[in-house]
């Protein structure tokens, strides 16, 4: 340990020396003249302050179509500056100009945005205009990921895996009325699984604090109850269990430790041993969980792997790379690209936000030190598989889709069981200004074969409608009547059957409680038949 | 120019002293943790992250000397997942002790914060 400290501190010492030299260099450079003005603006090339078409005498208060001053000219100039922050007095036009220039410089489809006068629109409205209206091949909007949130919400942090809540993950099967909010899985030993709540997968949440989840318009109240900000909050719930019974109870929020990798198991089948695990979130603590899962399955001598990422909305991309390496192994991934990050054509060489040279993300063969339990640089185990079954849903998104795309990029056969993924081959570096953080798509991820066009997601080849990029596999609805990892659960069962026979069940949608047809709760506790429902398109999961 | 040299020499001495002091330290765990010690750790980590709100587990630094902190997952019933493809890394902090003092170190920057009212012991 002493050696570790010694090395680490020597490293810091070196960094201090470099910093000193850097400061001296800067000071010397400053002594060269310190000229200012528009001529220097172009010297920021390579970072987000860069822009084009800068007239040297441009008046920032006058909108000229197609002429963009640097975003930095308007940063922190706020209509309502907050004392004690970096905010400075400004106007809503300044805020709009910041967004306009930032978007023109970094938005992936900047050339598809109509340039509008920033003086004519409120800032929220103006931001909404700063996106493409183009459609995907299936007719969906190409950009479904353009939004903003208060900065104080964005910057809040927590110990990895720790949150305030109840210990349940809710799948929102429809985000607009009639909504369906269904318990996807629970964490053991939490408020969700103890006391009166005793929730299980498949329970449908009908009301929260008296507000109708299905048709209610009080989003704020629903969010407050479903996602408590702190511990010790009491909220009332009415749910309908899988047997159709409706009941009410109160849950108290607590500090919850989530387990991003769960249900690691081996199933004996006619075609050999099948390994399965559920991977729910690309958070830091997943690194140790993934390594342990792979080691466990390697020790069991599995022949096939079923990776369940149906609820995994993404997260740290490097974790997706680590997992993909552990699936594919060194032979298939050595020297290959996991994902290349591509910005708009103004920035082919440098990341416009960090200024760093754009370099592809490799398949990581060693741990990067995300998890406190895994020493940085630990060699990762690998299964060297040429084929993997992946269970997906509409919540399978972004970094999770990268796993699928990048494995295909190195010729691992990906067989998809489930429903169409969310379709987000994109990412962004959020920009904070005047108390609001803005999310606008800035880059696209591309695999080793140069492919990254799946804005409609990936779909099993027999998907009936709204299909994205078709992959081998089976369209199978989410089966809330069985536990995740249960060989009888519809998606896992279909994967096993496909391994053995190469066949699929009839394409299906949602298994679970019947869809409510009105805002009122049933008058009695009539058992509702578990019907095969229509193919659902989950727009996003409530996470 | 002489002033720069003096500054550099002073900085080198400070760093060297810190190096020697921390070199004798080892990773540590909290002992006899209570609400007050938890609050101090929480305040310290928040300060290290420029004052942002931070939620820590009740057993922070009692089972592992390393603390990994990342941005909260934002939950909402009416908007999409906020990120999905994060190119960054989480923050890592370590609790260390020289046998007397308990100190939290930012692993990336090396900046450290002494803890006044906690007890810790070598891991």
């Amino acid at each position: 340990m002493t050696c570790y400290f010694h090395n680490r501190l020597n490293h810091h010492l070196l960094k201090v020396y470099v910093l000193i030299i850097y400061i001296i260099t800067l000071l010397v450079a400053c002594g060269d003249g310190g000229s200012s003005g528009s001529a220097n603006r172009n010297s920021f090339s390579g970072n987000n302050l860069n822009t084009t078409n800068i007239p040297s005498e441009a008046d920032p208060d006058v909108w000229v179509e197609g002429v963009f001053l640097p975003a930095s000219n308007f940063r922190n100039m706020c209509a309502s500056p907050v004392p004690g922050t970096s905010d400075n007095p400004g106007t809503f036009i300044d805020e709009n100009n910041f967004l306009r220039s930032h978007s023109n410089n970094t938005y992936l489809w900047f050339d598809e945005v109509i340039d509008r006068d920033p003086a004519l629109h409120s800032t929220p409205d103006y931001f909404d205009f700063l996106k493409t209206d183009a459609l995907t091949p299936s007719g969906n909007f190409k950009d479904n990921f353009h939004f903003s949130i208060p900065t104080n919400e964005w910057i809040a942090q927590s110990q990895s895996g720790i949150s305030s809540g109840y210990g349940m993950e809710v799948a929102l099967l429809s985000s607009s009325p009639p909504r369906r909010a269904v318990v996807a899985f629970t964490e053991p030993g939490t408020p969700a699984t103890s006391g009166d709540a005793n929730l299980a997968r498949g329970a449908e949440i009908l009301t929260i604090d008296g507000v109708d989840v299905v048709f209610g318009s009080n989003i704020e109240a629903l969010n407050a109850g479903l996602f408590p900000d702190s511990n010790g909050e009491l909220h009332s719930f009415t749910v309908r269990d899988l047997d159709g019974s409706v009941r009410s109870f109160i849950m108290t929020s607590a500090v919850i430790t989530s387990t991003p990798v769960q249900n690691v198991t081996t199933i004996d089948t006619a075609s050999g041993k099948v390994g399965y695990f559920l991977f729910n979130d690309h958070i830091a603590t997943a690194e140790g969980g993934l390594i342990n899962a792979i080691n466990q399955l390697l020790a069991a001598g599995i022949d096939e792997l079923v990776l369940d990422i149906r609820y995994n909305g993404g997260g740290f991309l490097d974790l997706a790379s680590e997992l993909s390496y552990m699936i594919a192994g060194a032979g298939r991934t050595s020297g290959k690209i996991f994902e290349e990050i591509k910005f708009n054509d103004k920035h082919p060489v440098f990341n416009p936000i960090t200024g760093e040279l754009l370099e592809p993300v490799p398949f990581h063969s060693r741990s990067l030190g995300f998890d406190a339990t895994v020493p940085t640089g630990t060699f990762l185990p690998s299964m060297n598989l040429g084929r993997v079954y992946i269970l997906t849903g509409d919540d399978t998104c972004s970094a999770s889709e990268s796993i699928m795309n990048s494995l295909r990029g190195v010729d691992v056969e990906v067989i998809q069981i489930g429903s169409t993924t969310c379709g987000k081959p994109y990412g962004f570096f959020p920009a904070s200004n005047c108390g609001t953080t803005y999310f606008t798509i800035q880059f696209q991820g591309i695999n080793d074969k140069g492919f990254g066009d799946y804005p409609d997601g990936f779909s099993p080849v027999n998907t009936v409608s709204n299909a994205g990029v078709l992959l081998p596999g089976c369209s199978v609805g989410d089966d809330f009547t069985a536990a995740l990892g249960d060989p009888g659960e519809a998606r896992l069962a279909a994967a096993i059957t496909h391994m053995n026979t190469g066949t699929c069940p009839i394409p299906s949608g949602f298994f679970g409680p019947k869809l409510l047809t009105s805002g009122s709760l049933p008058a009695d506790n009539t058992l509702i038949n578990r019907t095969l429902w229509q193919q659902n398109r989950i727009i996003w999961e409530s996470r | 120019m002489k002033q720069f040299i003096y500054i550099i020499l002073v900085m080198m001495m400070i760093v060297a002293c810190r190096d020697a002091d921390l070199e004798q330290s080892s990773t540590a765990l909290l002992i006899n943790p209570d609400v007050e010690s938890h609050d101090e750790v929480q305040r310290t980590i928040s300060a290290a992250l420029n004052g942002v709100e931070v939620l820590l587990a009740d057993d922070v630094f009692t089972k592992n000397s390393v603390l990994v902190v990342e941005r909260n997952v934002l939950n909402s019933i009416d908007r999409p997942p906020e990120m999905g493809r994060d190119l960054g890394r989480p923050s890592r902090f370590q609790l260390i002790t020289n046998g007397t003092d308990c100190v939290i170190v930012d692993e990336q920057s090396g900046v450290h914060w002494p803890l006044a009212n906690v007890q810790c012991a070598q891991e």
Side-chain angles (χ1 to χ4, degrees):
Chain A
M1 186 52 64
T2 300
C3 181
Y4 164 76
F5 266 84
H6 186 71
N7 290 338
R8 185 171 55 77
L9 291 167
N10 276 345
H11 177 66
H12 297 314
L13 196 60
L14 178 64
K15 288 197 330 192
V16 170
Y17 292 148
V18 171
L19 181 64
I20 290 167
I21 294 169
Y22 180 62
I23 290 170
I24 292 171
T25 306
L26 278 179
L27 289 170
V28 171
C30 289
D32 285 345
S35 61
S36 60
S38 59
N40 264 2
R41 288 174 183 150
N42 287 325
S43 67
F44 289 105
S45 180
N47 62 39
N48 66 333
L49 304 180
N50 178 47
T51 190
T52 56
N53 304 327
I54 307 170
S56 59
E57 302 300 331
D59 181 349
D61 294 328
V62 177
W63 172 65
V64 179
E65 186 173 1
V67 176
F68 299 88
L69 294 171
S72 58
N73 284 20
F74 307 101
R75 183 180 283 280
N76 299 326
M77 294 176 65
C78 311
S80 302
V82 176
T85 70
S86 55
D87 291 358
N88 296 307
T91 67
F92 79 93
I93 303 174
D94 293 322
E95 294 188 35
N96 289 358
N97 269 316
F98 169 79
L99 295 171
R100 176 175 174 266
S101 295
H102 179 68
S103 177
N104 180 261
N105 185 31
T106 69
Y107 185 53
L108 185 60
W109 303 291
F110 73 95
D111 52 355
E112 297 177 24
V113 174
I114 299 169
D115 190 18
R116 292 177 168 88
D117 186 348
L120 301 182
H121 307 280
S122 70
T123 299
D125 287 347
Y126 196 73
F127 177 67
D128 287 344
F129 285 132
L130 295 172
K131 65 188 283 288
T132 179
D133 290 327
L135 304 178
T136 66
S138 73
N140 294 318
F141 281 111
K142 185 161 70 173
D143 186 353
N144 277 319
F145 305 95
H146 191 80
F147 63 102
S148 63
I149 59 173
T151 296
N152 62 344
E153 287 184 29
W154 169 246
I155 62 176
Q157 307 235 346
S158 60
Q159 182 174 342
S160 182
I162 301 297
S163 63
S164 293
Y166 310 108
M168 63 177 179
E169 185 78 3
V170 176
L172 192 65
L173 304 186
S174 175
S175 61
S176 55
R179 298 185 193 89
R180 300 200 72 187
V182 180
V183 174
F185 59 90
T186 57
E187 302 280 354
T190 61
T193 56
S194 55
D196 292 337
N198 195 27
L199 287 165
R201 173 172 163 77
E204 184 165 0
I205 300 172
L206 303 175
T207 72
I208 300 171
D209 293 329
V211 177
D212 182 3
V213 172
V214 181
F215 288 97
S217 58
N218 191 345
I219 300 297
E220 194 172 329
L222 294 176
N223 280 334
L226 204 52
F227 311 113
D229 288 330
S230 58
N231 310 321
E233 293 184 24
L234 276 64
H235 295 279
S236 64
F237 290 81
T238 302
V239 302
R240 180 168 47 213
D241 292 317
L242 276 173
D243 65 2
S245 61
V246 175
R247 60 195 176 92
S248 298
F249 53 86
I250 291 174
M251 276 199 294
T252 305
S253 63
V255 174
I256 303 297
T257 303
S258 68
T259 309
V261 181
Q262 301 183 13
N263 302 357
V264 186
T265 188
T266 305
I267 303 161
D268 289 316
T269 73
S271 59
K273 283 187 177 179
V274 176
Y276 167 94
F277 65 90
L278 177 67
F279 176 29
N280 289 325
D281 215 344
H282 287 71
I283 58 175
T285 52
E287 187 178 53
L290 290 170
I291 293 171
N292 292 338
I294 299 298
N295 278 328
Q296 181 178 330
L297 297 178
L298 280 170
I302 63 161
D303 302 297
E304 301 266 11
L305 173 67
V306 179
L307 171 64
D308 191 343
I309 51 174
R310 73 183 76 182
Y311 302 122
N312 194 325
F316 290 118
L317 189 67
D318 283 323
L319 288 177
S321 168
E322 289 188 13
L323 174 57
S324 298
Y325 169 83
M326 289 190 275
I327 292 170
R332 289 184 174 83
T333 61
S334 181
K336 300 289 181 66
I337 293 170
F338 172 74
E339 187 165 285
E340 182 179 358
I341 304 300
K342 183 180 178 184
F343 285 83
N344 67 37
D345 57 14
K346 292 182 180 181
H347 305 286
V349 179
F350 294 99
N351 180 322
I353 310 302
T354 66
E356 296 172 353
L357 184 67
L358 287 173
E359 292 182 299
V361 178
F363 286 86
H364 297 302
S365 60
R366 296 190 186 197
S367 68
L368 297 179
F370 283 92
D371 190 355
T373 65
V374 181
T376 304
T378 300
F379 282 102
L380 299 175
S382 63
M383 295 190 284
N384 303 309
L385 294 174
R387 179 169 89 166
V388 61
Y389 280 77
I390 298 186
L391 308 188
T392 66
D394 300 0
D395 298 329
T396 305
C397 202
S398 208
S400 289
E401 292 175 299
S402 290
I403 295 172
M404 303 171 71
N405 192 46
S406 297
L407 286 174
R408 283 168 52 79
V410 293
D411 294 322
V412 171
E413 185 181 13
V414 173
I415 300 180
Q416 181 183 5
I417 308 291
S419 56
T420 302
T421 63
C422 89
K424 185 170 180 279
Y426 314 116
F428 32 53
F429 289 81
S432 297
N433 193 54
C434 300
T436 300
T437 298
Y438 299 93
F439 299 75
T440 186
I441 288 176
Q442 292 160 322
F443 63 84
Q444 182 172 12
I446 294 167
N447 71 12
D448 193 72
K449 293 184 185 296
F451 180 74
D453 288 323
Y454 48 93
D456 285 318
F458 293 108
S459 304
V461 68
N462 65 340
T463 298
V464 174
S465 61
N466 292 328
V469 174
L470 296 177
L471 301 187
C474 309
S475 172
V476 181
D478 203 356
D479 178 6
F480 288 95
T481 66
L484 298 167
D486 180 339
E489 189 274 320
R491 285 176 171 164
L492 180 51
I496 294 170
T497 299
H498 191 275
M499 283 174 206
N500 294 329
T501 68
T503 62
C504 293
I506 296 171
S508 59
F510 170 69
F511 295 86
K514 188 177 179 182
L515 179 67
L516 282 180
T517 54
S518 75
S520 58
L521 300 177
D524 55 28
N525 289 346
T526 307
L527 180 66
I528 299 173
N529 291 330
R530 295 169 186 170
T531 57
L532 191 67
W533 197 54
Q534 67 190 60
Q535 178 80 23
N536 282 282
R537 176 133 187 106
I538 305 170
I539 298 175
W540 49 75
E541 184 184 353
S542 55
R543 50 148 294 190
Chain B
M1 192 61 188
K2 282 184 179 179
Q3 285 180 325
F4 284 129
I5 294 172
Y6 291 146
I7 291 170
I8 291 168
L9 288 174
V10 169
M11 290 180 72
M12 289 173 65
M13 289 174 64
I14 292 171
V15 172
C17 291
R18 194 182 76 177
D19 190 24
D21 184 39
L22 291 179
E23 194 176 340
Q24 297 171 12
S25 302
S26 58
T27 59
L29 298 176
L30 295 179
I31 55 175
N32 302 318
D34 56 18
V35 173
E36 289 183 358
S37 63
H38 184 274
D39 286 350
E40 183 174 5
V41 170
Q42 192 155 28
R43 285 195 304 273
T44 302
I45 297 298
S46 176
L49 296 168
N50 300 315
V52 304
E53 183 181 333
V54 179
L55 176 66
L56 302 178
D58 292 339
D59 62 356
V60 61
F61 285 139
T62 63
K63 296 176 180 173
N64 196 314
S65 64
V66 175
L67 167 65
V68 178
V69 177
E70 60 189 292
R71 200 180 40 71
N72 282 351
V73 174
L74 297 177
N75 292 304
S76 175
I77 204 166
D78 61 339
R79 66 183 178 221
E82 75 285 352
M83 197 65 179
R85 203 183 227 91
D86 191 338
L87 301 182
R89 303 277 171 85
S91 303
R92 284 175 62 107
F93 298 92
Q94 193 161 43
L95 182 66
I96 63 173
T97 182
N98 58 5
T100 307
D101 301 317
C102 304
V103 176
I104 291 176
V105 181
D106 181 330
E107 287 194 352
Q108 187 175 18
S109 68
V111 176
H112 57 275
W113 296 264
L115 299 171
N117 299 306
V118 306
Q119 294 177 282
C120 66
Q122 188 173 341
E123 186 176 25

